[in-house]
Amino acid sequence: FKKWLSGIGLIGGAKVDTRLVSESFVPGEQVRGEILITGGEDAQEFDRIYLDIVTRYKHDDSVREHTVAHHDAQDNLSVESGEERAIAFSFALPYETPLSIGSGSVSVKTGLEIPGAIDPSDTDEILVKPTPMQQAVLEAADHLGFRLHQVETEYSPRKGAPLPFVQQIE
């Protein structure tokens, strides 16, 4: 029974921890790091290991989560009991990623996909800084006397194509 509970990820299953080389990134920059996997009480097989860039946006009276980018780190991996593995990764942060100003929140979510089980995951919030061009616009507005009033990421499917939201800087 204990082996079955471990196999579906309820107790004693594998653990995942993502370590990023930095906690801040600029859109277009490479997100780099490694995924540390520690085997549980029994050997487990994973269909894939993936990383998602996720953000939240307002939609009417609720907050929704959206995957801005998806990166498959590895397919078909098995980990023995207590074994530790490190998998390096690197992928570009999309230019459409909202900036971490105002209510803008962006995370890297790592998942281990296990057939018929609860998938272990890890979420790490990152700071998304403006590109040099975005920073120049923000500084020019400040120099002209404008002050940042509010920043929201909200639902707007036509304006934010291909994403269902836009980040409004007022």
Side-chain angles (χ1 to χ4, degrees):
F1 183 70
K2 194 173 181 184
K3 186 172 184 170
W4 178 78
L5 287 174
S6 174
I8 62 169
L10 290 177
I11 63 161
K15 300 206 180 327
V16 61
D17 182 30
T18 301
R19 301 210 177 139
L20 301 166
V21 296
S22 174
E23 59 186 39
S24 66
F25 299 92
V26 173
E29 183 179 7
Q30 291 291 308
V31 177
R32 290 186 173 89
E34 65 180 5
I35 302 166
L36 302 173
I37 302 168
T38 304
E41 293 178 13
D42 295 300
Q44 286 182 294
E45 293 196 19
F46 309 108
D47 282 349
R48 69 187 177 114
I49 302 166
Y50 62 90
L51 297 119
D52 288 338
I53 299 293
V54 294
T55 191
R56 289 168 209 71
Y57 65 93
K58 287 175 41 177
H59 184 270
D60 296 328
D61 293 331
S62 65
V63 175
R64 298 194 179 170
E65 187 174 274
H66 183 79
T67 300
V68 178
H70 175 83
H71 174 74
D72 284 327
Q74 185 163 339
D75 291 329
N76 303 321
L77 176 74
S78 60
V79 176
E80 296 299 319
S81 173
E83 179 183 3
E84 292 185 5
R85 290 262 184 108
I87 299 168
F89 66 86
S90 176
F91 62 93
L93 184 65
Y95 284 101
E96 299 84 13
T97 307
L99 302 177
S100 297
I101 54 178
S103 62
S105 160
V106 179
S107 302
V108 176
K109 181 178 180 181
T110 308
L112 305 177
E113 195 171 282
I114 305 170
I118 297 171
D119 299 340
S121 65
D122 178 46
T123 303
D124 298 285
E125 193 154 324
I126 61 172
L127 180 64
V128 181
K129 294 183 176 181
T131 63
M133 188 180 304
Q134 292 168 325
Q135 186 62 40
V137 170
L138 292 171
E139 287 173 4
D142 185 57
H143 181 69
L144 290 170
F146 291 97
R147 297 292 168 248
L148 189 62
H149 172 68
Q150 183 176 355
V151 180
E152 292 183 321
T153 305
E154 55 186 40
Y155 180 72
S156 183
R158 287 178 282 231
K159 290 181 186 174
L163 302 173
F165 60 84
V166 294
Q167 186 174 41
Q168 294 184 8
I169 300 174
E170 300 175 7

